[in-house]
Amino acid sequence: MSDAWRIEAILRSDPIRWHLLGVVAELALPDCWIGAGFVRNAVWDSLHGRAPGPLLGDVDVIWFDPDQSNPDHDRNIEETLRAAAPSFDWSVKNQARMHIRNGDAPYLSATDAMRYWPETATAVAARRHNSGRCEIANPLGLDDLFNLILRPTTRFVVEKRSIYDERAQSKAWTNAWPLLKRATP
């Protein structure tokens, strides 16, 4: 079984995550995914032999449409999601404008934007299709995710290292998932 299929199986086995993927799919936003901790934490829980755990933090919805780059549009989508699933903290970001905040070259798609996220294991996202299938985006691969390795992405090795280090410390991932290993630079 491929790692992408393993992620789909993990997400399907979690009724809450699978439902939220359906809620977001109903929005029919272009190039739209739920990513970051939503997928990463589910995989890490599974690799630690745990049943699906509660969602920690926000539900990161990313999408890409250069013609809708006004942040108010994201806030309207968040309101729609809160009405559909009010128990969750929704965070919606059109990746077509996020390069400005992050000091990067313009992103070409939501998946391209994920290449600039702080950790390789975080740069993964999922979306449901009407066919009932689940697609996995993983522009940096899935090896670090499944090998339980915390590794900074290219820009976070040196240039933005303090951000990566602070995230790793403040999120206390190695306490929550003790099998995680930090990659040496």
Side-chain angles (χ1 to χ4, degrees):
M1 174 186 296
S2 76
D3 287 340
W5 281 92
R6 288 173 65 192
I7 292 173
E8 180 176 348
I10 289 167
L11 294 173
R12 280 183 183 276
S13 72
D14 184 331
I16 293 171
R17 281 181 171 85
W18 192 250
H19 170 72
L20 295 180
L21 283 166
V23 168
V24 170
E26 289 178 12
L27 297 175
L29 294 169
D31 195 9
C32 185
W33 307 81
I34 303 179
F38 181 88
V39 177
R40 181 199 61 224
N41 295 357
V43 172
W44 285 353
D45 280 344
S46 176
L47 294 173
H48 278 76
R50 300 177 187 159
L55 292 175
L56 304 173
D58 53 13
V59 178
D60 292 302
V61 176
I62 64 169
W63 64 297
F64 189 87
D65 184 350
D67 295 329
Q68 295 289 338
S69 61
N70 186 326
D72 290 339
H73 197 72
D74 287 348
R75 285 190 282 280
N76 291 338
I77 295 167
E78 287 172 353
E79 289 176 23
T80 300
L81 289 168
R82 271 193 293 280
S87 299
F88 302 96
D89 182 18
W90 294 97
S91 173
V92 177
K93 300 284 187 287
N94 182 350
Q95 299 300 296
R97 73 168 195 285
M98 296 309 293
H99 68 283
I100 297 166
R101 182 184 86 173
N102 297 332
D104 298 325
Y107 306 141
L108 305 174
S109 66
T111 303
D112 182 51
M114 291 167 52
R115 294 176 192 277
Y116 297 88
W117 290 3
E119 308 87 25
T120 56
T122 300
V124 61
R127 67 178 170 192
R128 271 180 63 179
H129 293 284
N130 291 337
S131 66
R133 292 299 323 251
C134 182
E135 182 180 359
I136 307 300
N138 55 304
L140 301 176
L142 296 170
D143 289 345
D144 286 351
L145 177 65
F146 278 98
N147 290 318
L148 295 163
I149 296 172
L150 282 174
R151 181 186 321 273
T153 59
T154 304
R155 295 263 325 266
F156 290 83
V157 170
V158 175
E159 183 182 343
K160 296 182 176 185
R161 183 59 183 233
S162 63
I163 296 169
Y164 166 80
D165 288 338
E166 188 207 300
R167 278 177 54 85
Q169 181 178 351
S170 69
K171 293 185 179 279
W173 289 318
T174 55
N175 292 337
W177 295 280
L179 299 176
L180 288 175
K181 302 167 285 290
R182 287 189 75 160
T184 54

